Amino acid sequence: MERQIQFPGILSNKAEENPDFFNWNRVKLRYCDGASFSGDSQYKAGQLYFRGQRIWLAAMEDLMSKGMRHATQALLSGCSAGGLASILHCDEFRGLFPWTTKVKCLSDGGLFLDTIDVSGRRTLRNMFRGVVWLQGVKKNLPWSCANHLNPTLCFFPQHLIADIKTPLFLLNAAYDMWQIQASLAPPSADPHGHWHACRKNYAHCTLSQIQFFQGFRNQMLNAVKGFSRSNKNGLFINSCFAHCQTERQDTWFAQRSPHIGNKGVAESVGNWYFDRADIKAVDCPFPCDKTCHNLVFK
């Protein structure tokens, strides 16, 4: 791990880069456990120790002792696996503070869907099953899900978000590039390479491949339907081929950053956090959004 990292986007301390949160105390919690800070198991013979939940608890204890317990406002955010962590630990984070503290959570690019891949199988469910089993995640999953669903399913946000009591904001690209590459059209599901060019660059996708992605977008919108009915929650689903938009300056807050209507990501999150507006922003389907910063891989 690098000894120093940049703090762009939502982590920036410059008002012109991060208008609502620039003067906050900002902490980056290093992610190294492979289960969104929720694992707790060991295999001594193989010298394997999974300690995500303990790392999370130790970090929170350390931060509270350094003054976080005096916070009047707090926001737990993360992107990708960190976005899933901010969902899994949201109510737990809320419980650290007195009820007088304003506490909310933000998941960026963490809305991993339990979906069928291009071969008709469930690649991501199989991956998550391995993670949940290997790392002993079951005991750390939210009880509201684990008491009636298979633990693997409870690692998918679609089965968690409706029961989270703390205000939560979901920011996700409708055509999430990580999910396209690792879940929808991974090489393991595409032995003949029909999706090879498409999964690296949306411009190389055929009409039927784009239609497959539109089906994925529809599943995402269905997954957040109940969640979005709650006034306390926020939503920003833009029709981009992207992944993680809060910790990149060009997508968080810049002259040509992505917008839905006339609102960008930073403005939408800020308006929701500070209760300036109800934010439920859902983009029209591809290719209508011309403000996207789409990811293209060589």
Side-chain angles (χ1 to χ4, degrees), residues 7-108:
F7 267 35
I10 197 172
L11 295 172
S12 173
N13 63 353
K14 299 183 179 75
E16 65 273 18
E17 294 179 353
N18 188 23
D20 276 313
F21 304 104
F22 73 95
N23 58 353
W24 283 38
N25 293 299
R26 291 147 292 109
V27 178
K28 176 100 168 174
L29 188 56
R30 294 291 193 140
Y31 175 59
C32 60
D33 72 294
S36 293
F37 295 106
S38 61
D40 191 3
S41 68
Q42 60 202 50
Y43 301 89
K44 287 180 180 169
Q47 293 188 302
L48 287 171
Y49 297 86
F50 297 102
R51 295 291 186 246
Q53 182 71 20
R54 300 186 199 196
I55 293 167
W56 157 264
L57 291 171
M60 291 304 110
E61 192 179 322
D62 184 54
L63 291 170
M64 292 303 270
S65 74
K66 285 181 164 73
M68 192 168 78
R69 67 185 182 278
H70 302 303
T72 55
Q73 302 177 130
L75 175 63
L76 177 66
S77 77
C79 102
S80 198
L84 174 56
S86 66
I87 293 171
L88 289 166
H89 293 287
C90 185
D91 284 340
E92 207 181 326
F93 184 69
R94 159 74 274 184
L96 296 172
F97 299 91
W99 285 106
T100 49
T101 307
K102 185 188 190 83
V103 181
K104 298 190 178 188
C105 307
L106 163 62
S107 172
D108 173 16

Side-chain angles (χ1 to χ4, degrees), residues 251-263:
T251 48
W252 173 248
F253 189 76
Q255 205 168 3
R256 290 187 176 83
S257 58
H259 279 60
I260 297 179
N262 61 349
K263 297 283 189 293

Side-chain angles (χ1 to χ4, degrees), residues 23 132 159 246:
N23 58 353
V132 168
H159 300 300
T246 56

Side-chain angles (χ1 to χ4, degrees), residues 63-239:
L63 291 170
M64 292 303 270
S65 74
K66 285 181 164 73
M68 192 168 78
R69 67 185 182 278
H70 302 303
T72 55
Q73 302 177 130
L75 175 63
L76 177 66
S77 77
C79 102
S80 198
L84 174 56
S86 66
I87 293 171
L88 289 166
H89 293 287
C90 185
D91 284 340
E92 207 181 326
F93 184 69
R94 159 74 274 184
L96 296 172
F97 299 91
W99 285 106
T100 49
T101 307
K102 185 188 190 83
V103 181
K104 298 190 178 188
C105 307
L106 163 62
S107 172
D108 173 16
L111 190 54
F112 302 109
L113 294 184
D114 180 20
T115 189
I116 291 169
D117 64 33
V118 297
S119 71
R121 293 190 288 267
R122 291 184 184 265
T123 294
L124 195 56
R125 187 191 286 186
N126 288 336
M127 184 203 291
F128 277 12
R129 184 184 293 121
V131 170
V132 168
W133 176 80
L134 179 69
Q135 296 216 30
V137 169
K138 181 180 178 180
K139 58 182 171 288
N140 295 321
L141 291 166
W143 179 242
S144 58
C145 180
N147 68 358
H148 70 281
L149 279 185
N150 177 296
T152 300
L153 296 180
C154 294
F155 209 57
F156 284 99
Q158 66 204 75
H159 300 300
L160 300 170
I161 52 178
D163 292 320
I164 290 170
K165 296 175 178 63
T166 309
L168 172 65
F169 192 104
L170 295 177
L171 162 65
N172 226 95
Y175 315 103
D176 188 304
M177 273 309 271
W178 187 89
Q179 293 190 68
I180 286 172
Q181 296 189 336
S183 170
L184 289 175
S188 59
D190 179 36
H192 302 297
H194 299 311
W195 288 80
H196 179 77
C198 173
R199 76 170 151 262
K200 290 180 181 295
N201 185 344
Y202 69 97
H204 297 154
C205 297
T206 65
L207 196 58
S208 66
Q209 287 172 329
I210 293 292
Q211 282 306 114
F212 187 80
F213 294 151
Q214 300 295 20
F216 177 75
R217 173 181 175 272
N218 291 337
Q219 288 175 60
M220 188 178 289
L221 298 184
N222 281 333
V224 300
K225 220 172 238 172
F227 165 88
S228 66
R229 288 193 198 105
S230 171
N231 290 338
K232 74 182 192 306
N233 294 329
L235 193 65
F236 191 101
I237 308 275
N238 55 344
S239 293

Side-chain angles (χ1 to χ4, degrees), residues 237-252:
I237 308 275
N238 55 344
S239 293
C240 303
F241 289 82
H243 183 66
C244 283
Q245 300 178 87
T246 56
E247 292 178 36
R248 277 178 50 167
Q249 196 57 51
D250 65 319
T251 48
W252 173 248

